[in-house]
Each structure stands twice: as structure tokens, then as C-alpha cells.
């Protein structure tokens, strides 16, 4: 991959961070505390729901007496602890970020996660200072099916999309970034296994590990 790109934009969960296990763990702990079965169909049912809708679905499915706010508070508490204390970087991610930083490349993040989850994690992993900005999905309209989050991150760096590489692990992220003129690098992630063929065909570059870029 030619690194004459003055800007790089990274998704966090599943791309830089090995963190997608967190929400499976949250579901397991939450249900086990209540003596409820942990079944794959529950995770599938809430996977594409927002937090509030997932809470309402959970209450209705299991007949819980708690409010959606109480469920969301418990879920966030469990997730915050995992991000703060246990989430790790994917192999060689830190070395690659450091390489870019020493080369003077502008580095940004484009994430769907809440800042209060990811910022303590990035601080613990000692990479927070490498990012010029951390742009979240809440700052734009829509989700990563739209390139708006990547365009905002690029604008904040003052770098044109054609001069930026976007690193993503999900198909819709790769597709939308490429549609806006970004160079796209897809990072292998087990959670995206069903989309791997489409991701490989869409992305400009597909990597199994950041070691390939060192």
C-alpha cells in the first residue's frame, strides 16, 4: 500500500480494537443475573436495534419489570468496565499507528461508539494522543451506510477524501467510504465473516493483520 496519503481515518471497534466480544459478554452477564437463557436468537434480534429499542424489546420478550433506562444503565456500566480495563488493540495496530504518526500522517477515528466508552480505553492503550480528532456517528445524520462520518473526519483534518485512507471492518463502511472517493482498507474481523467476499471485492486493499503494512 503506498503511504503517500496525508490522512488516515480508522474505525475503532473491530478495526483497531478487538472489542466486539464486549456486547456478547454484556448480554450473557445481564441475562444470567436474571436466570434467563442465553440464546443466539436474542443477540441477533437486538444486533441492529438502538439501545433504547433493544431495551424495550428485552423488557417485552422476558416480561421484565425494569424500565428501559434501568436496562441501558446496566448495559453501559458493564460495557464501560470492559472497555476501561480489558479491551485490547488488534495485533500490530499500535505499531502501525506509531509509524503513521512519526511520518507526519494525520490520524482520525470515525466510530459508532460512545465517547465515554472508547476514550478511557484509548488512554489506557496509550494511543489517544495519536488522533487529531475522534468523530462519532452522533455528530452526523444516519449511520455508516452514509459517508458523512468519514467526510467530517477528513474535513477536520483538512485533507481531501481522495488523499485519505479509510480503515474499516464492515461492508457498509467500506462501501460508503469508497463511494465518497476514499481509498479503502478492509481489516479482517470474524464478526463480518458472512460479508467477507463482498468486502474483499469492494475494498481497495484487504488485510488480515496490520503487520502487513509495517
Amino acid at each position: 500500500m503506498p503511504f503517500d496519503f496525508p490522512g488516515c481515518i480508522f474505525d475503532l471497534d473491530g478495526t483497531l480494537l478487538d472489542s466486539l466480544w464486549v456486547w456478547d459478554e454484556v448480554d450473557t452477564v445481564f441475562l444470567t443475573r436474571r436466570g434467563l437463557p442465553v440464546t443466539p436468537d436474542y443477540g441477533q434480534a437486538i444486533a441492529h436495534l438502538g439501545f433504547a429499542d433493544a431495551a424495550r424489546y428485552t423488557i417485552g420478550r422476558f416480561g421484565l419489570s425494569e424500565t428501559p433506562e434501568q436496562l441501558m444503565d446496566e448495559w453501559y456500566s458493564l460495557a464501560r468496565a470492559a472497555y476501561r480495563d480489558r479491551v485490547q488493540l488488534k495485533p500490530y495496530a499500535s505499531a502501525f499507528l506509531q509509524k503513521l504518526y512519526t511520518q507526519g500522517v494525520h490520524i482520525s477515528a470515525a466510530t459508532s461508539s460512545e465517547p465515554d466508552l472508547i476514550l478511557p480505553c484509548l488512554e489506557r492503550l496509550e494511543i489517544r494522543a495519536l488522533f487529531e480528532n475522534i468523530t462519532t456517528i452522533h455528530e452526523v445524520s444516519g449511520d455508516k451506510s452514509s459517508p458523512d462520518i468519514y467526510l467530517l473526519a477528513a474535513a477536520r483534518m483538512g485533507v481531501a477524501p481522495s488523499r485519505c485512507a479509510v480503515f474499516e471492518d464492515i461492508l457498509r463502511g467500506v462501501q460508503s467510504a469508497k463511494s465518497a472517493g476514499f481509498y479503502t482498507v478492509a481489516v479482517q474481523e470474524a464478526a463480518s465473516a458472512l460479508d467477507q467476499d463482498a468486502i474483499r471485492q469492494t475494498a481497495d486493499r484487504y488485510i488480515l493483520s496490520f503487520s502487513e503494512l509495517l
Side-chain angles (χ1 to χ4, degrees), residues 99-141:
K99 175 183 176 180
L100 295 178
Y101 187 78
T102 58
Q103 290 176 344
V105 174
H106 299 277
I107 304 172
S108 292
T111 179
S112 299
S113 289
E114 299 288 343
D116 63 340
L117 290 181
I118 57 168
L119 291 180
C121 179
L122 300 183
E123 294 286 357
R124 172 175 55 82
L125 296 170
E126 299 182 344
I127 61 170
R128 172 64 183 91
L130 303 180
F131 293 89
E132 288 189 20
N133 72 78
I134 295 176
T135 301
T136 71
I137 204 70
H138 307 292
E139 299 178 84
V140 297
S141 59

Side-chain angles (χ1 to χ4, degrees), residues 23-43:
W23 297 106
D24 289 336
E25 181 178 281
V26 167
D27 292 343
T28 299
V29 172
F30 175 83
L31 294 173
T32 301
R33 283 176 174 176
R34 290 157 177 80
L36 296 170
V38 181
T39 58
D41 69 298
Y42 171 71

Side-chain angles (χ1 to χ4, degrees), residues 68-102:
E69 290 73 23
Q70 288 172 317
L71 266 63
M72 290 188 286
D73 285 346
E74 183 172 348
W75 292 342
Y76 264 121
S77 177
L78 291 167
R80 274 195 298 268
Y83 274 84
R84 183 189 66 232
D85 301 329
R86 293 186 288 133
V87 166
Q88 298 297 324
L89 286 163
K90 286 199 166 182
Y92 301 98
S94 179
F96 181 58
L97 288 172
Q98 293 287 349
K99 175 183 176 180
L100 295 178
Y101 187 78
T102 58

Side-chain angles (χ1 to χ4, degrees), residues 34-212:
R34 290 157 177 80
L36 296 170
V38 181
T39 58
D41 69 298
Y42 171 71
Q44 293 165 4
I46 66 171
H48 301 293
L49 299 178
F51 243 44
D53 287 339
R56 286 188 284 269
Y57 171 84
T58 302
I59 290 168
R61 173 167 173 160
F62 297 109
L64 302 178
S65 61
E66 296 145 294
T67 66
E69 290 73 23
Q70 288 172 317
L71 266 63
M72 290 188 286
D73 285 346
E74 183 172 348
W75 292 342
Y76 264 121
S77 177
L78 291 167
R80 274 195 298 268
Y83 274 84
R84 183 189 66 232
D85 301 329
R86 293 186 288 133
V87 166
Q88 298 297 324
L89 286 163
K90 286 199 166 182
Y92 301 98
S94 179
F96 181 58
L97 288 172
Q98 293 287 349
K99 175 183 176 180
L100 295 178
Y101 187 78
T102 58
Q103 290 176 344
V105 174
H106 299 277
I107 304 172
S108 292
T111 179
S112 299
S113 289
E114 299 288 343
D116 63 340
L117 290 181
I118 57 168
L119 291 180
C121 179
L122 300 183
E123 294 286 357
R124 172 175 55 82
L125 296 170
E126 299 182 344
I127 61 170
R128 172 64 183 91
L130 303 180
F131 293 89
E132 288 189 20
N133 72 78
I134 295 176
T135 301
T136 71
I137 204 70
H138 307 292
E139 299 178 84
V140 297
S141 59
D143 58 20
K144 286 192 171 181
S145 298
S146 162
D148 289 354
I149 187 170
Y150 311 112
L151 292 169
L152 178 56
R156 287 173 168 172
M157 295 189 298
V159 181
S162 61
R163 302 291 287 147
C164 283
V166 169
F167 293 75
E168 266 287 358
D169 67 301
I170 60 172
L171 178 59
R172 65 180 180 272
V174 172
Q175 290 172 328
S176 65
K178 188 165 184 177
S179 74
F182 292 94
Y183 184 94
T184 53
V185 183
V187 181
Q188 186 184 53
E189 167 53 50
S192 296
L194 294 178
D195 292 327
Q196 285 310 301
D197 288 343
I199 291 173
R200 285 178 179 270
Q201 292 168 9
T202 305
D204 295 298
R205 176 78 184 266
Y206 184 93
I207 62 170
L208 303 179
S209 166
F210 286 103
S211 63
E212 299 170 41

